[in-house]
Amino acid sequence: MDNKSRRTFIKTSALAMAGAGLTFPGYLKGAAPSSRLNIGVIGVNWWGTENMQHMLRADKETYCVAMCDVDQVRLKEQAGVLKKEFPDRAGNIKFYSDFRKLLDDKNIDGVIIATPDHWHTYMFAEACKAGKAIYVEKPTGHSIAECRIMVDLQRKYKNVVTTGLWQISLGYFVEAFNILKTGVLGDVFKVHCWIPSNTNPVVYDPAPQPVPDTLDYKMWIGPAPFRPYNSNRLHRQWRNYWDFGGGQQTDWVHYLDSAFDGLLAMGFPRAYPKTVFSVGYRHPDTLTETPRVQTSVFQFDKYHVVWEQQNSSLYNRVDGVAWIGSKGTLVCNRTGYEIIPVNGSDGKPLIEPVKVEGPYGNQHDHMINWAACIRKNDTNTNGTIEKGSYATEVAWIANISHRLGGVSLEYLPSEMKFRNNPEADTFVSPEYKNGWQFPVM
């Protein structure tokens, strides 16, 4: 299909679905900038700064006015990155080492929370109570109970929240969802998500190290169980340890989130899986805790979803999500999408093949949406906390199965527990440590 035919196909399908009342609320919703937004960043190493860069590029009346981090070296370095690119809108940044003081600043309209996962929920709760708009990185919470209370907090305080699951705003996925709405794939019975990985061992000297003078390690640990400082467990490595992260399955919950969005586009309601099991592998010499290879299966009434972290690519793509139907498969990732038809008994494809490729997508349109919603005080962002917490909660169910040896779990969402498995129940809600308390309403 050439580009002209593709545009006609998408336009026709989108119009048809709009007439049927099936368009998604909030997609690429935007408004001309009309007022200044002051944004603060909590957790500046990597995603915090990158998210702020995308926000500043996307919205010309956004200003970065505050940055907070427990690592004073990284804090000054990353502020310098923003100041160099945006001297007029990031040239007067206040520095904080305690996020609570940043949240006390009445001049700040919204915050980007990009800390390690174990801090997301507590900071989110305090930002809700402070009346801030919130961009919270994925995964939303670090446990099932945390995901649930984040939803409850937003509903109570009515904050304008979006999550770091930004694929919902990416044009490739918007078009893919419009294709799914047409029913062109026939009966969809499976959705496949995957990311690349390797089984190489992670080995380092695990001995405790002296804490740098420029790092508030006690605050970095926060509500997690205390571990002696070792630099190999910080920065981008923390998600490989259960106390701080959930491995690649929660890091790349992007694709589970998109899988469920596609199912929603086809008319399947949001629902919890009937059963979940997950198995994984890590090299026996590795010192990290989360699996290097993992397969999770989520069984629903009419379909099942498979999430895989593996050595090889699928569908000739490094990563992605594939909705598999009786007439063809639709594959999508951040560089495009493709319809791969099934051949009929006569050897001819049952549906027309489509292939669209382009540059690697980013958060630009997601940030446009968040900024527009803040100005309109519209809580119906592209990435609501309900949506992000749902996908994250489902991913955590699978991680619990893996940690229990691949046992099949039946989750009871109304009770927030598992059927006949008290050991699995112990993973539902974390025990906050070091004087920190689980957030309350």
Side-chain angles (χ1 to χ4, degrees):
M1 180 182 284
D2 59 25
N3 285 338
K4 182 177 179 181
S5 299
R6 179 182 69 84
R7 288 193 296 269
T8 301
F9 176 82
I10 296 299
K11 181 178 180 181
T12 301
S13 64
L15 288 174
M17 292 305 105
L22 295 175
T23 52
F24 276 30
Y27 278 154
L28 301 182
K29 188 165 47 180
S34 58
S35 60
R36 171 171 171 150
L37 295 178
N38 292 331
I39 305 297
V41 184
I42 304 173
V44 305
N45 190 27
W46 196 14
W47 282 119
T49 301
E50 184 162 329
N51 289 335
M52 191 69 250
Q53 286 176 302
H54 283 294
M55 185 72 168
L56 292 166
R57 292 167 188 160
D59 188 274
K60 302 306 179 184
E61 290 195 33
T62 288
Y63 291 73
C64 180
V65 298
M67 299 181 79
C68 177
D69 203 277
V70 295
D71 186 334
Q72 297 306 301
V73 173
R74 294 295 291 165
L75 181 60
K76 293 176 182 178
E77 287 177 352
Q78 295 305 296
V81 169
L82 294 180
K83 184 176 182 178
K84 182 177 181 180
E85 184 175 357
F86 309 97
D88 296 333
R89 293 185 289 132
N92 190 26
I93 298 173
K94 291 182 181 179
F95 293 160
Y96 295 90
S97 58
D98 188 325
F99 67 93
R100 293 168 293 191
K101 293 182 179 179
L102 182 151
L103 293 175
D104 284 340
D105 189 339
K106 305 300 183 185
N107 190 47
I108 295 175
D109 302 303
V111 293
I112 294 171
I113 299 173
T115 61
D117 299 350
H118 71 286
W119 262 119
H120 284 187
T121 301
Y122 190 93
M123 292 180 178
F124 181 91
E126 294 304 297
C128 282
K129 296 170 186 177
K132 308 300 185 187
I134 304 168
Y135 182 110
V136 60
E137 259 302 342
K138 48 74 198 170
T140 56
H142 189 49
S143 66
I144 290 172
E146 287 180 323
C147 289
R148 288 293 190 90
I149 198 167
M150 292 171 84
V151 172
D152 292 340
L153 285 161
Q154 189 280 328
R155 288 175 178 170
K156 177 178 179 178
Y157 293 99
K158 310 298 183 186
N159 307 75
V160 178
V161 174
T162 199
T163 71
L165 296 166
W166 50 266
Q167 287 180 175
I168 189 71
S169 299
L170 193 60
Y172 303 131
F173 283 89
V174 175
E175 292 188 6
F177 299 149
N178 280 331
I179 292 172
L180 291 171
K181 292 174 187 177
T182 67
V184 68
L185 298 183
D187 295 326
V188 172
F189 49 86
K190 177 181 178 179
V191 188
H192 204 164
C193 314
W194 72 99
I195 63 167
S197 187
N198 65 71
T199 55
N200 299 332
V202 178
V203 181
Y204 57 86
D205 182 356
Q209 299 170 348
V211 179
D213 294 337
T214 55
L215 174 68
D216 185 347
Y217 183 61
K218 183 178 179 180
M219 181 64 90
W220 189 93
I221 286 286
F226 181 80
R227 293 192 186 205
Y229 173 77
N230 187 297
S231 61
N232 293 286
R233 288 198 291 265
L234 270 67
H235 302 306
R236 300 186 185 186
Q237 305 305 315
W238 52 262
R239 69 176 69 259
N240 297 318
Y241 302 88
W242 294 117
D243 288 341
F244 315 123
Q248 294 303 303
Q249 183 166 229
T250 57
D251 180 30
W252 278 91
V253 70
H254 291 285
Y255 281 126
L256 273 178
D257 181 58
S258 294
F260 296 133
D261 286 336
L263 289 162
L264 188 65
M266 290 183 283
F268 293 105
R270 294 268 193 230
Y272 286 92
K274 294 169 58 178
T275 57
V276 177
F277 74 88
S278 181
V279 293
Y281 169 83
R282 62 188 182 94
H283 194 283
D285 295 334
T286 196
L287 296 178
T288 55
E289 297 170 350
T290 61
R292 303 292 288 177
V293 173
Q294 187 174 10
T295 298
S296 302
V297 178
F298 308 89
Q299 181 185 5
F300 296 82
D301 284 331
K302 296 182 179 180
Y303 57 88
H304 64 283
V305 177
V306 179
W307 190 94
E308 291 194 281
Q309 173 186 349
Q310 59 181 45
N311 282 328
S312 59
S313 301
L314 294 172
Y315 308 95
N316 295 318
R317 287 163 181 80
V318 173
D319 54 38
V321 56
W323 296 270
I324 301 168
S326 56
K327 295 182 180 180
T329 294
L330 173 61
V331 186
C332 189
N333 66 7
R334 297 174 184 178
T335 62
Y337 62 88
E338 180 179 5
I339 293 178
I340 304 170
V342 169
N343 290 333
S345 57
D346 58 0
K348 296 180 180 180
L350 297 178
I351 55 177
E352 186 177 2
V354 177
K355 188 171 185 178
V356 175
E357 295 179 321
Y360 193 90
N362 60 43
Q363 299 100 304
H364 186 86
D365 289 327
H366 202 56
M367 293 306 194
I368 289 176
N369 172 256
W370 187 44
C373 288
I374 295 172
R375 291 192 175 94
K376 294 182 290 185
N377 196 29
D378 181 1
T379 60
N380 188 31
T381 63
N382 286 358
T384 63
I385 192 66
E386 288 93 345
K387 194 172 82 69
S389 289
Y390 166 76
T392 301
E393 189 174 345
V394 170
W396 272 112
I397 295 170
N399 270 343
I400 293 170
S401 169
H402 164 74
R403 296 184 72 178
L404 295 178
V407 63
S408 180
L409 294 176
E410 183 180 348
Y411 181 56
L412 306 173
S414 62
E415 302 177 47
M416 213 161 66
K417 62 182 294 186
F418 295 90
R419 187 183 298 279
N420 300 325
N421 197 321
E423 187 176 6
D425 292 341
T426 64
F427 290 95
V428 169
S429 184
E431 180 183 353
Y432 277 35
K433 304 287 188 178
N434 309 313
W436 297 94
Q437 301 294 321
F438 189 88
V440 296
M441 296 294 292

